[in-house]
């Protein structure tokens, strides 16, 4: 039980959407054992709110926070510079840290946790992945007894918003614009749509679930920029939809020596999969365990309030003396590529012999065609059709497509989508 | 970090499906800080397995366990007598307890937790609800920062197996028989099909999520025994399926004074709801928070391995010095009944004026008819049809049905199903 006599003093760094929601919950709900004492932000005159108690110290000077008597720093600034240094100094001085910073935890989490332990401080980051969905505490607490063999997730709300809107017939550029207007996507959407945001989250989940410490830069990312409305029409023919899927998997069931595979990018997802059910900015994470089978978590992955819930939950855990279960991980290099069925969309100026030529290029790489789909209603001079192929690696398919791309009848680069199999 | 020098000594009470799976995981995976030292069961000669290390003490005498140097008792016997007394004695002597016993936790959990705290011991019960799905750690850790307003769950795998099989056209009696043959249902299925098992779990979740300590006997349970294949046919017309739903909700958003409503029983569930997606023995829990919105957990709720994962996860938490977050709850009486749309199935020997008479009886209670459905292909002398009505309480509808039941044309008692609304 937290002691009401000496509650943990909480300093919030960053009073944006999440930070103000954290402050709001602390002020409104007054969780036992926690008291908001400091708020750091640039330009605080513009930020001050009348619902924040007058006892709270507002400051624009980080040194005021780092030298204060705050027990816990809640870091909601994001990014690595200068935040990583501040977090390190806070932990080194024995302050605990709660953060939603996925980039920081993905790249420096292990070192920072070690530092925290050596100083008797704590580092919690339940908000760093899938905001309001308790997948990190779920992995640390409820599933620690299992041997997790794979994780598959929808970890980026922006991509899910875009793709679930495109599912209804819209084109990428229009939906991206709408997402930007709604504040779901940045002016430069690279981090989200090209998969880098999801990749950082996948690295964190892989560490907790597979106990594999992966180098983010090693994980292949494919962008969702090339997905078009016609791909959804063909996905429907395959009883699938398209989602940005982040996945990591151990091959061989042996945590100590099994190969780890990982990737991020748009995939064809069977409609029967729980990963097809997320709409809007929702996140979904599927954890496949050796003993417990598949467990699915879903909910609002991002946004001020859901992320703030994860932050406050971490604070409450700390106030109650709960300790993060320290799950040892090992530095792991990727062990190869997924072997997957693919669907490939071609747009051609139709003439006889195209299929034969494509089939021949695929056959050279040992890739078998499974089926060919061609929806009616298109001009033969600008004809999209889709070829599905039997399981192969992406790089093997890449070599075949490099050859196919030299065909003069092609009006666009062929676009390949991996197909998610129901069971890994 | 757990100390390898002095690992927690674990005694398992009950070497059935779950107990042997817990032992297996402890022996195979050797989680840091934990060592299996004792196994208690009746008739151990019949139970002994060669994969259990020879250092483990097998006993048929509970006193051997209670007087041993075991640090943690894993209680997997179930029921209240004699187990409740054993758990109490273990905690009183400073041993910690991990249990999957929902009945024990629902009825005596608060007193036992108090006892544990007073002795510096711990009581964890992550396996008591929805076995392999980390909903209890999720509520204690990841969602503690939210203010949960409602929970809706599929908490009984037996009912879900039966109802999801009936969805494909089978009749209740046949599926129950199959479930019994597969070991999913007891010879006397009362606890499961009449809702008492789910009710104990709902009491535990309400305590953690709504901070409301409910008396199980106050929560109304409706049986799934009266559900028939024809109900699924009409459910389909309404774009619904039928599931056993356990739900509790706070009305008024005020944890301290809001009314709590709760019930267990078969409901019409819209196909678009995550609660319609569970099949077989799967469990699903939806937690609706004021700040974080809806979070959904799903997976294998029961079975030896999934439940064992939850038990071992609790043991690992203990070994790592993690403390269950102590969420204070208050004794709460139910504050009334849900106001819900209903669908009512009638089977009649058709004659003119039946609808008028039913409508009149409903009108007397102020209940408005919304729609009438009658599928073709039935004899007029044995005609099922369905009436849906606007929101009313079950007891109000009960009064109307009591009157309707006196009609001589009725061949069966009318069967009413509540309809789950998408948002509480």
């Amino acid at each position: 039980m937290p002691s009401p006599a000496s509650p943990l003093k909480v300093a919030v760094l960053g009073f944006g959407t999440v930070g103000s929601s954290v402050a709001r919950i602390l002020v409104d709900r007054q969780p036992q054992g926690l008291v908001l004492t400091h708020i750091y932000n640039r330009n605080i005159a513009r930020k001050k709110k009348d619902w924040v108690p007058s006892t709270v110290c507002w400051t624009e000077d980080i040194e005021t926070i780092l030298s204060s008597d705050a027990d816990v720093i809640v870091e909601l600034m994001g990014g690595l510079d200068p935040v990583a240094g501040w977090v390190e100094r806070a932990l080194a001085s024995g302050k605990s840290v709660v953060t939603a910073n996925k980039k920081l935890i993905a790249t420096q989490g292990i070192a920072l946790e070690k530092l925290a332990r050596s100083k008797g401080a704590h580092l919690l980051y339940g908000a760093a992945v899938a905001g309001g969905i308790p997948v990190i505490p779920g992995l640390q607490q409820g599933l620690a007894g299992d041997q997790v063999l794979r994780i598959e997730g929808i970890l980026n709300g922006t991509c899910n918003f875009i793709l679930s809107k495109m599912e209804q017939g819209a084109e990428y550029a229009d939906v991206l614009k709408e997402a930007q207007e709604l504040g779901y996507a940045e002016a430069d959407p690279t981090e989200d749509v090209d998969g880098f945001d999801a990749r950082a989250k996948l690295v964190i989940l892989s560490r907790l679930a597979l106990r594999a410490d992966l180098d983010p830069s090693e994980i292949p990312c494919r962008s969702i920029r090339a997905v078009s409305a016609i791909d959804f029409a063909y996905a429907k023919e395959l009883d699938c939809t398209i989602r940005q899927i982040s996945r990591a998997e151990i091959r061989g069931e042996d945590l100590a020596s099994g190969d780890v595979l990982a990737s991020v990018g748009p995939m064809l997802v069977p409609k029967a999969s729980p990963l097809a059910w997320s709409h809007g900015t929702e996140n979904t994470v599927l954890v496949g365990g050796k003993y417990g089978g598949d467990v699915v978590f879903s909910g609002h992955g991002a946004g001020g309030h859901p992320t703030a819930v994860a932050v406050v939950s971490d604070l409450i855990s700390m106030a109650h003396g709960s300790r993060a279960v320290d799950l040892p991980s090992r530095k792991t290099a990727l062990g190869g590529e997924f072997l997957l069925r693919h669907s490939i969309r071609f747009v051609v100026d139709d003439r006889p012999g195209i299929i034969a030529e494509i089939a021949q290029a695929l056959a050279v790489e040992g890739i078998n065609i499974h089926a060919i789909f061609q929806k009616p209603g298109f001009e033969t001079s600008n004809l999209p059709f889709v070829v599905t192929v039997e399981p192969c690696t992406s790089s093997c398919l890449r070599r075949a497509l490099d050859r196919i791309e030299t065909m003069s009848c092609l009006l666009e680069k062929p676009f390949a989508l991996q197909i998610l199999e129901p069971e890994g």
Side-chain angles (χ1 to χ4, degrees), chain A:
Chain A
M1 285 287 294
S3 156
S6 59
L8 293 182
K9 299 183 194 74
V10 179
V12 172
L13 306 197
F15 200 70
T17 322
V18 179
S20 63
S21 178
V22 168
R24 185 94 223 188
I25 297 177
L26 290 177
V27 169
D28 285 0
R29 299 204 59 203
Q30 304 193 24
Q32 222 184 346
L34 294 167
V35 58
L36 177 66
T37 55
H38 296 78
I39 296 173
Y40 164 89
N41 207 89
R42 280 178 302 177
N43 203 349
I44 50 175
R46 194 175 42 90
K47 288 281 183 180
K48 282 195 175 172
K49 295 277 179 267
D50 57 6
W51 50 263
V52 174
S54 59
T55 49
V56 171
C57 164
W58 292 79
T59 179
E60 298 175 354
D61 176 14
I62 192 66
E63 299 303 329
T64 303
I65 301 285
L66 292 173
S67 65
S68 73
D69 62 350
D71 302 297
V72 193
I73 306 286
V74 174
E75 186 278 299
L76 302 168
M77 317 276 297
L80 294 180
D81 187 34
V83 164
W86 297 350
V87 167
E88 203 179 320
R89 284 178 58 199
L91 292 172
S93 72
K95 292 187 195 307
S96 290
V97 172
V98 171
T99 180
N101 190 329
K102 65 215 155 234
K103 209 176 227 173
L104 179 66
I105 298 301
T107 56
Q108 303 175 35
I110 290 176
L112 291 172
E113 279 186 314
K114 204 173 151 192
L115 172 61
R117 270 198 302 278
S118 74
K119 299 293 178 179
H122 303 285
L123 173 67
L124 294 181
Y125 49 88
V129 179
I133 311 172
V135 59
I136 288 183
L139 287 169
Q140 287 179 323
Q141 303 274 342
L143 297 173
D146 206 342
Q147 181 168 349
V148 179
L149 303 176
R150 78 186 208 283
I151 41 178
E152 293 168 359
I154 292 178
L155 301 179
N156 182 276
T158 308
C159 286
N160 208 57
F161 177 85
I162 293 172
L163 294 172
S164 61
K165 276 268 173 176
M166 289 180 71
E167 191 176 346
Q168 294 155 39
E171 275 295 356
Y172 173 80
D174 300 328
V175 186
L176 174 62
K177 196 156 164 270
E178 186 187 347
Q180 285 166 329
E181 282 162 8
L182 289 166
Y184 295 156
E186 307 282 334
D188 174 3
T190 304
E191 278 288 310
D192 292 318
V193 301
D194 293 349
F196 308 127
D197 171 86
R199 184 168 71 175
K201 295 167 177 170
L202 182 63
V203 166
I204 297 172
L205 291 184
S206 298
R207 199 182 288 159
L208 295 171
L210 307 177
R211 319 287 161 86
D213 188 24
L214 304 172
D215 179 346
S217 66
E218 273 191 23
I219 300 175
C221 284
R222 285 161 293 114
S223 178
I224 68 161
R225 291 181 205 252
V227 179
S228 97
I230 186 77
D231 294 314
F232 279 94
Y234 279 108
K236 210 170 171 183
E237 301 270 309
L238 295 163
D239 212 17
C240 285
T241 185
I242 302 171
R243 291 288 183 266
Q244 188 209 42
I245 301 293
S246 304
R247 55 197 305 240
E249 189 174 323
I250 291 209
R251 288 282 162 89
E253 295 209 358
D254 184 352
L255 282 173
S257 67
D259 270 349
V260 174
L261 310 182
S263 74
V264 174
M267 292 186 81
L268 285 172
V269 178
K271 287 255 171 82
S273 162
L275 294 166
W277 303 337
S278 297
H279 285 85
T281 58
E282 284 175 4
N283 281 196
T284 300
V285 181
L286 184 155
V287 178
K290 178 176 174 183
Y291 298 99
D294 287 356
V295 174
V296 178
F297 303 76
S298 77
H300 298 282
H305 283 328
T307 308
V309 164
V311 168
V312 176
S313 296
D314 278 352
L315 288 169
I316 291 176
S317 285
M318 241 177 226
H320 285 250
S322 180
R323 303 286 163 256
V325 174
D326 174 38
L327 305 170
S329 62
R330 66 193 162 91
K331 192 82 202 154
T332 310
L334 287 192
E337 288 181 84
F338 289 105
L339 206 62
L340 287 167
R341 293 192 298 137
H342 287 75
S343 104
I344 313 151
R345 182 236 306 151
F346 299 92
V347 183
V348 296
D349 182 1
D350 202 21
R351 60 162 170 74
I354 290 179
I355 295 289
E357 210 169 324
I358 288 173
Q360 175 56 24
L362 291 167
V364 167
E365 297 293 339
I367 302 170
N368 287 323
I369 289 181
H370 179 258
I372 298 173
F373 298 86
Q374 188 178 309
K375 290 184 83 74
F378 292 93
E379 300 285 332
T380 56
S381 62
N382 189 0
L383 184 73
F385 67 94
V386 159
V387 173
T388 58
V389 297
E390 303 285 355
C392 63
T393 65
S394 284
S395 50
C396 181
L397 181 62
R398 187 67 260 154
R399 285 193 298 274
L401 293 181
D402 282 347
R403 185 161 320 176
I404 291 167
E405 277 172 25
T406 61
M407 288 166 64
S408 61
C409 63
L410 284 190
L411 301 176
E412 296 177 17
K413 278 190 142 190
F415 178 59
L417 281 167
Q418 300 178 341
I419 303 177
L420 187 74
E421 303 294 332
E423 274 285 6

